[in-house]
């Protein structure tokens, strides 16, 4: 990836701009979108870099941006830096850092938010599949329900599931048997329950991660490394118990003995 400093043009300058941005400052919208996307640890790090920056030309800003491995994040940070340079170059970085902190103190997570894999544009304040999947698993306090058609090369997911099981979370994995998805999870603790669909004309194709009964991410991405990073995938994170609760109930019914739809692997 070539490094584009604030005064340079990059491919992100030609990305579609939301209608409400036309004729109005972009920087506030960009800062809000970054807050929605960045995990808390990265947001704190970004606030620290901003606080020390004299202005948008500070090279530490670009160094921080292009050190980010998440797909599209460097470009999104770069777009914010260029908007700063274009709209209010005399504003010190400490002011932007304070604005980011204020957003964090007053904002409430939206009940529904897009989740994507692959290229990310500034058009939609989306979260990355790779990060949000780990956050949802990490947030589980009593139960974790995961469904996937395929699974492989998911070491980070496996590590988070292992930690969840060790802290007493009941974990249920609903996996498609024809793809051998269960092989990816052979190292998980024995109390993690794995479920397969009984023989029939269809397959288990749903992709879902539900923590307790209040937070869930669902979409097109399987539990694979490519699906969470390189592939163009689309999903949504739900933080509404009124929606997530019935969704969890449906999958709990699927694995119930009376439904005769799923069977526990090796049980």
């Amino acid at each position: 990836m070539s490094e584009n400093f604030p005064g340079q043009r990059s491919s992100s300058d030609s990305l579609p701009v939301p209608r409400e941005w036309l004729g109005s400052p972009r920087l506030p919208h960009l800062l809000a979108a970054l807050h929605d996307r960045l995990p808390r640890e990265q947001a704190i790090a970004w606030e620290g870099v901003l606080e020390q920056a004299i202005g948008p030309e500070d090279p530490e800003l670009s160094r921080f941006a292009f050190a980010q491995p998440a797909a599209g994040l460097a470009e999104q940070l770069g777009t914010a830096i260029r908007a700063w340079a274009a709209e209010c170059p005399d504003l010190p970085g400490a002011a932007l850092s304070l604005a980011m902190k204020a957003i964090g103190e007053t904002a409430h997570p939206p009940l529904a938010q897009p989740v994507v894999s692959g290229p990310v544009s500034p058009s939609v304040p989306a979260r990355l599949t790779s990060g949000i999947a780990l956050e949802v698993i990490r947030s589980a306090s009593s139960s974790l329900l995961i469904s996937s058609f395929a699974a492989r090369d998911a070491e980070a997911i496996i590590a988070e599931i292992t930690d969840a099981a060790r802290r007493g979370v009941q974990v249920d994995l609903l996996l498609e048997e024809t793809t051998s998805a269960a092989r990816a999870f052979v190292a998980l603790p024995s109390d993690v329950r794995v479920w397969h669909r009984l023989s029939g004309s269809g397959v288990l194709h749903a992709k879902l991660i539900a923590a307790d009964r209040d937070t869930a991410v669902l979409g097109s991405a399987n539990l694979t490394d490519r699906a969470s990073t390189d592939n163009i995938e689309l999903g949504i994170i739900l933080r509404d118990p009124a929606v997530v609760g019935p969704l969890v109930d449906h999958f709990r019914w699927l694995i119930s003995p009376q439904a005769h739809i799923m069977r526990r692997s090796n049980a």
Side-chain angles (χ1 to χ4, degrees):
M1 181 185 296
S2 60
E3 187 166 322
N4 294 297
F5 288 88
Q8 293 179 294
R9 181 179 179 83
S10 80
S11 59
S12 65
D13 291 319
S14 60
L15 290 169
V17 176
R19 185 183 302 274
E20 63 269 21
W21 289 9
L22 298 176
S24 63
R26 298 179 65 199
L27 187 57
H29 300 281
L30 292 167
L31 292 178
L34 280 169
H35 171 268
D36 285 343
R37 178 178 178 184
L38 289 172
R40 189 58 193 144
E41 295 81 4
Q42 283 180 286
I44 292 173
W46 174 237
E47 290 164 8
V49 173
L50 283 174
E51 192 166 359
Q52 298 300 316
I54 298 174
E57 301 295 333
D58 192 317
E60 287 300 320
L61 296 167
S62 291
R63 274 195 279 270
F64 177 88
F66 289 97
Q68 303 307 309
L73 181 53
E75 200 163 330
Q76 191 172 356
L77 287 163
T79 301
I81 296 170
R82 287 189 293 277
W84 179 11
E87 295 174 6
C88 45
D90 295 331
L91 197 67
L96 271 66
S97 177
L98 183 61
M100 288 287 293
K101 292 174 182 175
I103 293 171
E105 289 294 326
T106 59
H108 297 285
L111 294 180
Q113 188 176 11
V115 178
V116 301
S117 299
V120 177
S121 80
S123 302
V124 179
R127 299 291 305 277
L128 289 179
T129 303
S130 55
I132 204 65
L134 299 179
E135 284 187 27
V136 172
I137 295 172
R138 199 174 296 139
S139 72
S141 60
S142 60
S143 67
L144 184 62
L145 193 150
I146 298 176
S147 176
S148 188
F149 176 73
R152 59 182 175 275
D153 302 324
E155 287 79 8
I157 292 284
I158 294 169
E160 287 295 341
I161 294 174
T162 300
D163 286 347
R166 287 174 177 168
R167 64 177 182 267
V169 175
Q170 175 60 63
V171 182
D172 289 284
L173 303 180
L174 286 68
L175 303 171
E176 172 56 33
E177 192 168 18
T178 62
T179 63
S180 301
R183 291 181 183 176
F185 302 103
V186 293
L188 287 175
S190 59
D191 54 349
V192 172
R193 302 187 298 191
V194 176
W195 303 86
H196 295 311
R197 184 171 182 175
L198 293 171
S199 298
S201 59
V203 298
L204 188 153
H205 203 252
K207 293 90 175 181
L208 167 73
I209 302 175
D212 305 323
R213 296 175 56 80
D214 48 41
T215 307
V217 59
L218 60 157
S220 63
N222 285 301
L223 296 178
T224 67
D225 181 60
R226 290 189 64 184
S228 64
T229 55
D230 298 332
N231 293 354
I232 295 179
E233 307 277 2
L234 178 63
I236 191 167
I237 179 170
L238 302 171
R239 299 183 179 89
D240 186 350
V243 176
V244 177
L247 189 63
V248 170
D249 289 340
H250 171 68
F251 278 84
R252 293 284 174 206
W253 174 79
L254 289 176
I255 64 177
S256 64
Q258 61 268 27
H260 302 292
I261 294 172
M262 307 288 292
R263 61 176 174 82
R264 187 173 174 184
S265 176
N266 299 323

